[in-house]
Structure formats: structure tokens, C-alpha cells
């Protein structure tokens, strides 16, 4: 085909959320307790606490969230008004398997998602579904130690099979594990808990455990891809990675090598999910560490057979790394300590580096390595919004952020030929922040009246960005 490439005609514009961040109704329909239900609210710069079970007298923002469980018809109607072609959410594992290790599913949970997907399809909005988005059953943490345990592979693939069969005529686009690579930051208790249900034990080498847990997840993901394709050959089953490009702080060769190792450390997950095998550097690293991980020949076969159909990814920011003076020979990347700030880009109030061009770079980087379509399933600007007396919210800063990123996304398509399925900005309706548990870190086109203490009417109203995004969709990205 000749001539200037444009976004696909059937480009999937929409919005993205995750069950635990908006549904609420944490005990309704026989839902079980998830890892998100035992995390308290933090604040900007204050970590959320992970408590032992649900403690009385503590506030858990995900328990009620924005009560999408009861408000979804109203919310989806607003998404339809914006012209959404798709809506990305997750299936709360604990609605289907409250404890995670039951043999049969909970019909009430299955029914809820039937109704929810029907409501979307009524407006020709295609559901895009993540299987595991930071909300695994807490029982699996308590009883099995989370993804440390090989048994989790069976529990997860059983869950996947049940929902694939149930929704095989309603859902085509799936993703297995949300931001599976967040746990690269293995010293971050939030990352390993939300990804893998890991709570470090005394004297445990948590880095080793992270690699073991990630391995089981990757095997589970590959099995799910295989099962899914058997259930419906038209399924498109993707990975989901948090794409945060890591730039070298300078052209100093050691900084270049540091950035290379940092990128390898964050994105080997995609190597496994796309190439069906571990990269050599990582095999060598794991051997050198003498970890004796439980990785069987059968596992390696499964990984080869279950590669993904597309890459789903989030993009919010880039980061920067710098080699130390005493850099170890293996250039080991420690995400907790090795990031430095980049003076060429601005930051959000939460210190996330705003870098639209990094999105184009990321798309090119992914396209060079993995020969499958891409789907930007999260992007957005968390900010404090001010609601005016007449309920309007003038969120020009959000429009500016999204516009700049859509421009770069388009360049990756029109100038660089990247094959892009769609774009679903994060938190299209205000919801509970994953990282901080705040309501006040808002991403939505739709404002929800609720504050960080859980007070508010839950009333929905349109922000300025609502009409703006509607026009963007109407014009297939031409009118920004
Ligand atoms: P919040 C860290 C870095 C990049 C994306 O994040 C991240 C995180 C975890 O905080 O998470 C994704 O709510 C995630 C969503 C999350 C969204 O980004 O901390 O997939 O669940 O809400 C935004 O501002």
C-alpha cells in the first residue's frame, strides 16, 4: 500500500480501568477478599500499608471505590456518549473464585460480568479484558505464599479457562497479567504484592523469589494463551507491560551499558511472552547467582507454545539511569536505587516524568524487537482537579498531556509504520489510584464526587476533557 499511513479505520479508541479500582461492592455477590482489599490509603509520597487481612477501624479505599458495581449502566452510557469503541476493564478474580482454590466458579460473579459486557455491547463498545490486574485472591497469599507457589499456575489457568468459555462470544481482546514487569522493582513491597502476592519472609532473597514467581506467571500466561486459542481461535490474547523507557543519563559508555541492562531487566518479560524463551543475559545472570530456580523442560516448551498475539502496554513516563563509580561487572539494575532525574523533561506532582516523545521511542523500540501489533492500554495524567460551583472541571492540563501523547502516538504510526490496535487512556472515569490509594489523584474525563477519606455523593459529571476526547474519537484522532 502506498501513501501516508493513518490510524486504522477500526482503531479502538476507548478508556481503561481495573475492577478493584472502581467496582467497590467488595463483599457483594459472594466476592472474596483480594490483595487490593487489604491495602490502606496512602498519600502523595506515603506508601499504602498492606495489612494482615482486613483490620477493623482502618480505611480501605478499594472496598467501595466509586461503586461502579451499581453505577455501571450510567457510566457506560457516558462512555458511549464519548464515542468509545472499546472499554478495558478486568475481571475481579475474587468474584469468580472468591478464594482462588475452589474447583467450581461463583455464578453470581460470572453473571455480573455477563451483564456488564452486555451493557457495553448494547452500544457497540467492545470489552477488552485483563485477567489479573493487581487483585488476586488474598487467600492465595495466606495459604500458598502467592506466586512463590507452583500451584498458582493451576488456579490461574482454571480461572482463565472458565471466563474464556463463558465470554467467548462477548470478548475478543484479552490480556493475561497487568504490568507483569512492575516487579522488576523487587524491593518495592507494593510492586511484588500487587503483581505476585509476595510478602518477603525473613532472610528471604526476594529478588530470587520475584524471578521464581514471574516464571510461574509466565508459564500460566502461556498456558492461558494456548487454552484461549483452543476455545476461540479468534481470540487476541496479549501481554501487558508497564512501558517506562530507561534512558542513559549521558553518552558515557558505562551509562549506555547501564541503560541497556536496565531495559533488559524491565523488558525480558516481553522477550519470554513474545519470543517464547528467556534471553541469554538473564539465563547467565540466574546461573551466576546460583539460584536453582524451578524452571522445568516442560515449562520451557509451554513458553514456546504460548506466545502472545499483541503487546498491550501502559505508558506514563520515562526514567533515566546512571552507572555508579563502582558499578558491578554485571551492571545489575536495582530499580529502587538506580533512577536519576532527567533535566530535559517536566514532572507531574507525583514525580512522574512527562515525556510524550518517549511514547514514540517506546513504540519503535517494541516494534524493532517484537513483530506483533501494539495496543496502548493505559496513558494519562494523574492530577488534582478543582470542581467549580457549577460542577465543571477545567482540566486543560489533562488535555495538554493527552494531546501531546496522541500526537507522538500518531507519528509512530504515520512516520514509523507501527501497527497499532488502539488507545485507551487510563481511568477514563475517576477511580482509586493504585499506587497511592488516593481519589484525589484523578485521571478521568468524568469526575466522581468522592474524596480521600471516602466522603462524597458519588455523583458523576463531565470535565472539559470529556468533550475534547469525544471530538478526538469522532475525527479518528485528526482533531486534537
Ligand atoms: P496510579 C507504577 C508505574 C506505572 C504504572 O497509577 C503503574 C504503577 C503502579 O502505581 O500502574 C498502572 O493509580 C496500573 C493502574 C494504575 C495506573 O498505572 O498509581 O496498571 O492500575 O492505576 C496509574 O496513579
Amino acid at each position: 500500500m502506498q501513501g501516508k499511513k493513518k490510524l486504522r479505520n477500526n482503531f479502538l479508541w476507548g478508556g481503561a480501568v481495573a475492577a478493584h479500582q472502581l467496582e467497590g461492592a467488595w463483599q457483594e455477590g459472594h466476592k472474596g477478599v483480594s490483595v487490593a482489599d487489604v491495602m490502606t490509603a496512602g498519600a502523595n509520597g506515603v506508601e499504602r500499608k498492606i495489612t494482615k487481612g482486613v483490620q477493623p477501624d482502618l480505611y480501605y479505599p478499594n472496598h467501595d471505590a466509586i461503586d461502579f458495581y451499581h453505577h455501571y449502566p450510567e457510566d457506560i452510557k457516558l462512555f458511549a456518549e464519548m464515542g468509545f469503541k472499546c472499554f478495558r476493564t478486568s475481571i475481579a478474580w475474587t468474584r469468580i473464585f472468591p478464594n482462588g482454590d475452589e474447583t467450581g466458579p461463583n455464578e453470581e460473579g460470572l453473571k455480573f460480568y455477563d451483564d456488564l459486557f452486555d451493557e457495553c455491547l448494547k452500544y457497540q463498545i467492545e470489552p477488552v479484558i485483563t485477567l489479573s490486574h493487581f487483585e488476586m485472591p488474598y487467600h492465595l497469599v495466606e495459604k500458598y505464599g502467592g506466586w512463590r507457589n507452583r500451584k498458582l499456575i493451576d488456579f490461574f489457568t482454571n480461572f482463565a479457562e472458565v471466563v474464556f468459555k463463558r465470554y467467548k462470544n462477548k470478548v475478543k481482546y484479552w490480556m493475561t497479567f497487568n504490568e507483569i514487569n512492575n516487579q522488576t522493582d523487587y524491593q518495592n513491597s507494593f510492586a511484588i504484592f500487587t503483581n505476585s502476592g509476595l510478602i518477603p519472609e525473613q532472610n528471604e532473597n526476594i529478588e530470587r523469589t520475584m524471578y521464581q514467581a514471574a516464571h510461574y506467571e509466565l508459564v500460566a500466561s502461556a498456558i492461558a494463551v494456548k487454552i484461549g486459542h483452543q476455545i476461540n481461535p479468534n481470540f487476541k490474547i496479549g501481554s501487558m507491560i508497564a512501558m517506562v523507557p530507561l534512558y542513559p543519563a549521558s553518552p558515557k559508555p558505562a551509562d549506555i551499558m547501564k541503560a541497556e541492562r536496565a531495559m533488559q531487566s524491565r523488558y525480558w518479560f516481553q522477550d519470554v511472552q513474545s519470543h517464547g524463551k528467556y534471553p541469554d543475559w538473564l539465563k547467565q545472570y540466574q546461573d551466576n547467582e546460583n539460584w536453582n530456580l524451578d524452571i522445568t523442560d516442560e515449562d520451557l516448551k509451554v513458553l514456546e507454545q504460548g506466545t502472545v498475539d499483541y503487546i498491550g502496554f501502559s505508558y506514563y513516563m520515562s526514567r533515566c539511569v546512571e552507572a555508579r563509580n563502582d558499578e558491578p561487572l554485571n551492571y545489575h539494575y536495582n530499580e529502587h536505587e538506580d533512577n536519576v532525574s532527567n533535566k530535559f523533561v517536566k514532572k507531574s506532582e507525583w514525580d512522574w516524568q512527562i515525556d510524550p516523545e518517549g511514547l514514540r521511542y517506546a513504540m519503535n523500540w517494541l516494534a524493532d524487537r517484537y513483530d506483533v501489533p501494539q495496543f496502548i492500554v493505559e496513558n494519562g495524567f494523574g492530577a488534582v482537579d478543582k470542581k467549580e460551583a457549577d460542577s465543571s472541571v477545567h482540566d486543560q492540563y489533562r488535555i495538554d498531556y493527552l494531546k501531546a501523547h496522541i500526537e507522538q502516538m500518531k507519528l509512530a504510526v504515520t512516520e514509523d509504520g507501527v501497527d497499532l490496535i488502539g488507545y485507551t487512556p487510563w481511568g477514563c472515569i475517576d477511580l482509586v489510584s493504585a499506587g497511592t490509594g488516593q481519589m484525589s489523584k484523578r485521571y478521568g474525563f468524568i469526575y466522581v464526587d468522592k474524596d480521600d477519606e471516602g466522603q462524597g455523593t458519588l455523583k458523576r459529571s463531565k470535565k472539559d476533557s470529556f468533550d475534547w476526547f469525544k471530538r478526538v474519537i469522532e475525527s479518528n484522532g485528526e482533531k486534537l
Side-chain angles (χ1 to χ4, degrees):
M1 199 182 72
Q2 298 214 327
K4 193 104 173 157
K5 194 173 163 180
K6 285 191 171 163
L7 295 181
R8 296 174 172 201
N9 278 332
N10 56 354
F11 191 77
L12 289 179
W13 295 99
V17 300
H20 71 282
Q21 289 173 260
L22 86 168
E23 284 178 7
W26 71 294
Q27 287 181 306
E28 272 179 72
H30 293 105
K31 179 185 166 298
V33 176
S34 82
V35 293
D37 292 320
V38 300
M39 291 196 296
T40 63
N44 194 353
V46 181
E47 274 182 34
R48 305 181 71 173
K49 282 196 198 68
I50 298 162
T51 60
K52 193 163 166 42
V54 173
Q55 300 291 327
D57 306 327
L58 287 180
Y59 175 56
Y60 296 95
N62 297 66
H63 285 186
D64 300 320
I66 61 157
D67 197 31
F68 180 74
Y69 190 79
H70 296 109
H71 289 251
Y72 72 82
E74 176 193 340
D75 296 340
I76 290 167
K77 193 164 176 232
L78 286 166
F79 299 155
E81 193 184 329
M82 261 187 287
F84 279 20
K85 314 284 181 218
C86 75
F87 173 53
R88 173 181 178 234
T89 187
S90 58
I91 294 178
W93 189 343
T94 49
R95 289 203 189 279
I96 314 301
F97 289 92
N99 280 332
D101 58 357
E102 297 91 342
T103 43
N106 169 33
E107 176 56 31
E108 270 181 279
L110 289 169
K111 170 87 171 45
F112 170 71
Y113 291 104
D114 260 322
D115 295 346
L116 172 62
F117 299 158
D118 287 343
E119 194 68 22
C120 293
L121 295 168
K122 188 169 116 186
Y123 300 101
Q124 280 98 46
I125 296 176
E126 185 161 352
V128 172
I129 299 303
T130 319
L131 291 172
S132 183
H133 192 135
F134 304 172
E135 57 207 358
M136 65 186 282
Y138 182 62
H139 175 76
L140 298 182
V141 175
E142 292 245 282
K143 180 151 178 208
Y144 301 92
W147 280 94
R148 273 187 191 83
N149 195 319
R150 183 177 273 277
K151 289 205 179 87
L152 274 270
I153 297 177
D154 287 341
F155 300 144
F156 175 82
T157 52
N158 192 24
F159 161 57
E161 185 171 354
V162 164
V163 297
F164 282 157
K165 282 191 176 147
R166 177 80 170 213
Y167 309 119
K168 68 171 191 288
N169 298 319
K170 296 185 182 176
V171 178
K172 175 178 165 193
Y173 285 98
W174 300 87
M175 276 163 275
T176 53
F177 291 91
N178 185 63
E179 294 190 335
I180 189 168
N181 62 325
N182 265 355
Q183 53 197 326
T184 302
D185 190 2
Y186 53 84
Q187 287 174 358
N188 176 334
S189 49
F190 169 85
I192 55 173
F193 186 64
T194 51
N195 269 155
S196 302
L198 298 178
I199 299 171
E201 287 162 6
Q202 257 197 346
N203 303 322
E204 178 176 29
N205 180 337
I206 194 65
E207 186 190 7
R208 178 192 183 279
T209 305
M210 179 277 285
Y211 277 110
Q212 185 65 70
H215 173 71
Y216 292 147
E217 284 160 5
L218 290 163
V219 170
S221 170
I223 295 173
V225 171
K226 264 175 76 175
I227 301 176
H229 287 150
Q230 281 158 10
I231 292 169
N232 184 347
N234 293 325
F235 275 177
K236 300 287 179 210
I237 309 174
S239 56
M240 190 331 191
I241 54 166
M243 189 64 209
V244 181
L246 297 152
Y247 300 152
S250 81
K252 196 165 116 191
D255 285 351
I256 304 292
M257 184 58 214
K258 184 78 194 181
E260 171 70 9
R261 181 51 36 89
M263 288 297 272
Q264 289 172 320
S265 304
R266 267 194 80 85
Y267 303 109
W268 67 272
F269 299 81
Q270 192 59 47
D271 291 350
V272 177
Q273 288 182 295
S274 275
H275 299 147
K277 59 180 183 151
Y278 277 80
D280 290 336
W281 77 269
L282 183 54
K283 283 193 280 190
Q284 196 58 56
Y285 178 61
Q286 294 178 341
D287 283 353
N288 290 355
E289 294 292 310
N290 276 314
W291 279 337
N292 266 314
L293 294 173
D294 174 29
I295 299 178
T296 67
D297 291 343
E298 177 59 28
D299 291 348
L300 297 177
K301 246 184 258 154
V302 169
L303 293 179
E304 260 177 53
Q305 295 162 352
T307 55
V308 292
D309 300 318
Y310 68 95
I311 299 176
F313 67 95
S314 64
Y315 180 84
Y316 293 90
M317 61 188 138
S318 61
R319 296 197 190 119
C320 199
V321 292
E322 185 175 38
R324 301 151 184 271
N325 291 329
D326 59 345
E327 191 60 42
L329 291 177
N330 63 11
Y331 277 85
H332 179 62
Y333 175 56
N334 180 334
E335 186 146 277
H336 227 54
E337 295 166 7
D338 286 347
N339 292 338
V340 294
S341 87
N342 179 350
K343 67 173 185 212
F344 298 100
V345 299
K346 291 201 189 95
K347 288 181 187 165
S348 83
E349 229 182 280
W350 281 262
D351 263 355
W352 289 19
Q353 297 193 153
I354 303 167
D355 176 13
E357 205 164 2
L359 173 58
R360 179 176 179 186
Y361 168 74
M363 292 170 76
N364 275 273
W365 192 90
L366 291 170
D368 284 349
R369 280 159 188 82
Y370 313 111
D371 198 13
V372 288
Q374 299 178 18
F375 196 162
I376 303 172
V377 295
E378 288 183 30
N379 172 232
F381 190 57
V384 174
D385 289 332
K386 183 165 168 279
K387 193 168 79 162
E388 308 293 340
D390 64 353
S391 279
S392 60
V393 175
H394 304 304
D395 57 343
Q396 188 58 40
Y397 38 89
R398 182 167 295 109
I399 296 173
D400 292 344
Y401 176 101
L402 292 170
K403 179 173 183 281
H405 284 77
I406 295 173
E407 274 166 359
Q408 293 296 325
M409 163 187 105
K410 283 170 61 186
L411 290 173
V413 173
T414 60
E415 301 300 315
D416 312 330
V418 171
D419 187 8
L420 186 65
I421 297 169
Y423 175 77
T424 57
W426 175 252
C428 45
I429 180 164
D430 289 347
L431 38 61
V432 177
S433 154
T436 67
Q438 292 170 294
M439 265 309 296
S440 55
K441 188 181 186 189
R442 296 173 183 273
Y443 288 86
F445 303 115
I446 300 165
Y447 187 90
V448 178
D449 181 36
K450 186 166 183 180
D451 66 19
D452 290 340
E453 282 75 47
Q455 305 302 312
T457 61
L458 293 179
K459 194 173 167 303
R460 277 68 168 151
S461 52
K462 297 174 191 172
K463 304 182 194 175
D464 287 357
S465 55
F466 185 101
D467 287 325
W468 172 79
F469 196 49
K470 182 173 183 218
R471 211 175 50 245
V472 172
I473 298 179
E474 253 165 25
S475 63
N476 200 24
E478 294 298 313
K479 289 194 186 136
L480 294 177

